[in-house]
């Protein structure tokens, strides 16, 4: 099975970072961790967890779309937050963008670069 790199101008790229926006192999599409960056400018979008979660999920969705998938194809989302106190606000923004039945999810807390509050990656399975 061939491994296919997925790229789109509708999601940000990190110059010099040794990663692909997404990789598809067979029916599996893995979206690299997306940040709340504007794809056109690279600037951080929003100062709140809600704003940053919404932008991050827009970026995840853009990579999914470029790979022939949608949020409905996602079986697993991993959310990385900088502060456990942000969980409720992130959950509210998340539930606005991701509909039931919700994919499986893991939420972890870790440091991110200054100004960034959230990072999200996704694993989708497509019907071939």
């Amino acid at each position: 099975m061939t491994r296919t790199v997925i790229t789109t101008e509708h999601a940000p790229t990190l110059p010099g970072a040794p990663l692909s926006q997404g990789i598809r192999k067979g029916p599996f599409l893995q979206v690299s961790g997306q940040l709340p960056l504007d794809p056109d400018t690279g600037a951080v979008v929003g100062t709140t967890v809600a704003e940053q979660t919404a932008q991050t999920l827009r970026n995840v969705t853009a990579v999914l779309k470029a790979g022939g998938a949608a949020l409905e194809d996602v079986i697993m989302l991993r959310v990385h937050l900088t502060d456990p106190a942000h969980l409720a606000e992130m959950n509210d923004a998340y539930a606005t963008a991701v509909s039931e039945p919700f994919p499986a999810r893991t939420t972890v807390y870790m440091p991110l670069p200054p100004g960034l509050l959230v990072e999200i990656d996704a694993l989708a399975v497509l019907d071939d």
Side-chain angles (χ1 to χ4, degrees):
M1 241 181 272
T2 304
R3 200 168 65 152
T4 304
V5 174
I6 306 300
T7 59
T8 178
E9 62 188 25
H10 301 293
T13 56
L14 300 174
L19 57 88
S20 299
Q21 288 176 313
I23 292 286
R24 180 164 179 190
K25 186 168 184 176
F28 299 101
L29 172 57
Q30 176 66 55
V31 176
S32 289
Q34 295 295 304
L35 297 167
L37 304 177
D38 181 291
D40 295 324
T41 66
V44 176
V45 174
T47 57
T48 68
V49 171
E51 293 167 326
Q52 289 195 13
T53 298
Q55 181 62 45
T56 301
L57 286 169
R58 282 192 292 273
N59 293 340
V60 167
T61 301
V63 179
L64 288 167
K65 184 176 179 183
L71 278 173
E72 293 77 24
D73 299 307
V74 172
I75 62 169
M76 178 66 175
L77 283 162
R78 280 170 290 271
V79 177
H80 307 265
L81 291 174
T82 59
D83 186 341
H86 293 155
L87 182 61
E89 185 180 353
M90 185 281 299
N91 275 334
D92 289 343
Y94 177 95
T96 299
V98 181
S99 58
E100 293 188 48
F102 296 115
R105 189 181 94 193
T106 299
T107 303
V108 297
Y109 303 98
M110 60 177 271
L112 290 169
L116 299 175
L117 304 173
V118 64
E119 179 177 4
I120 301 174
D121 69 279
L123 176 62
V125 179
L126 292 82
D127 297 324
D128 281 337

